[in-house]
Amino acid sequence: MGGVISATETKEEKTLDKESGVDAGSGSGEDSGTGKETGSGEETETGGETGSDEGTGNDGETGSDEGTGDDGETGSDEGTGDDGETGSDEGTGDDDGKNPGEGTGDGEDTDSGENDGTDEDIDPDEGDVSDGESDPDGEDGLDEDDIESEETDEEEEEGELEEEKLASLEAAALSASDFTIVEGKLTKYSGTGGAVEIPADVTIIGSNAFKDNTSITSVTIPGTVVSIENGAFSGCTKLVKVTLNEGLQTIGKDAFRGVAFGEKAITGAIVNSDPLMIPSTVKMIGTSAFRDSACLETVVFEDGSTELVMSSNNYPYEDDGPFRNCKALKRVTLPDQLVNIQRSTFAGCSALEEVQFGKNLKSIGDSAFVDCISLQAMNFPASLESIGIAAFSGCTNLIKVSLNEGLKTIGKDAFRRVAFGEKDITGAIVNSDPLMIPGTVTMIGPSAFRDSACLETVEFKNGTTELVMSSNNYPYEDDGPFRNCKALK
């Protein structure tokens, strides 16, 4: 824009009392001084109005390409005074001459196209560093050190994220190396123990895969697993928490035999024993599957749509029920899909206090609850038809028994030595309700109610089918159904 300045007369002439280049603007090739004349035949005065390319004094208005005084606004290509902004190709200064297009600072010359900073040179299009203002391009005046610092911080953050990802991948790879998996079947665990999560690609946990591992403390089984085979976790005596997955279908023989399912405090009290939840999808539980647990207190079966089978060996005197000898077991909730409770299922569970039966139960097998000495009451569902040999034999604290209408057979020794009441401190019998035998019962086996300590009253309801109360035919065999019921009146 330098070289052509319109000659405009100022309406009022004022002269500055002091010599200063401040508040004066210069055109191309002009010299600026205190109250001095400007090039292109123009004079500038404080307070005057200027035309295009003119400089202004204090409080003056500027047009495009003008220079401003202390408080004025500047356009592009303007020169500034002490506090003003500078554009490109401008220059201001005190008492100094300047080359075309130059502005001066306090006693210093600036290069062509530079703004007036405080004792500093700045490039075109940069903001005035001393004033903290930015140029029209919107730059904030950050120096190279600041930019490099920000870039370094970003690089460090990216590096940390990358390290975390690598560490996570390494941990996953290390965890995966703990398992031997062949076509979805986990055949061996070789990890260090602690909390174990079965990989999501496993569908079968093979026989003895974790057998006798005393270092694992918890196991989480993914929804992909459909079968836990024989002895898979047998002997894992420090295994406290087991989470069985929905979708699991079979639990093999001895699968969790001897697993603690809790801990014992120094006092012997059981702690950290969460309820064992059996998913609704489970269709088969093998013999001795949960046998001999030291701390298992509660088992809850979820109701499902497919019949559940809890199996046991059929060999005589084989004590192999799925929950046999779980000495800490107190509460059991059985599902509607359980039709038959097999032989010795809960035999020897001496702490068992409460059992809730499902609504479709038809039979209770031989010795199913033998020697469960903490049981106090039994209420059978209307669906029950058969109670097996010695099913509740030895339940010496069983006080109340409600036999259901629809029951047909009561096996040999089924309730032998069951109390059917209590004795107070004086020896008097209390809480002995009458035993009601439903009219649907057709057979009562030998010694079925023998040796009851507190049974005082028995009532048989009339039925339509002949009732048979049997006894052995061997000579001298004292096995009548109510033999030695000393309190029976």
Side-chain angles (χ1 to χ4, degrees), residues 419-423 427-430 432 451-458 482-489:
F420 290 104
E422 297 176 286
K423 289 183 178 180
I429 294 173
V430 295
S432 179
D451 299 327
S452 171
C454 300
L455 180 60
E456 292 183 315
T457 304
V458 178
F482 290 93
R483 185 177 178 87
N484 290 331
C485 289
K486 301 293 186 180
L488 185 59
K489 296 179 179 180

Side-chain angles (χ1 to χ4, degrees), residues 86-131:
T86 62
S88 63
D89 298 324
E90 300 174 341
T92 67
D94 295 344
D95 300 325
D96 286 328
K98 60 181 181 302
N99 294 324
E102 291 181 339
T104 63
D106 295 338
E108 294 184 0
D109 291 337
T110 60
D111 292 337
S112 176
E114 291 182 341
N115 293 322
D116 179 20
T118 303
D119 295 329
E120 292 183 357
D121 292 341
I122 56 178
D123 293 334
D125 296 327
E126 288 185 345
D128 187 347
V129 175
S130 64
D131 293 334

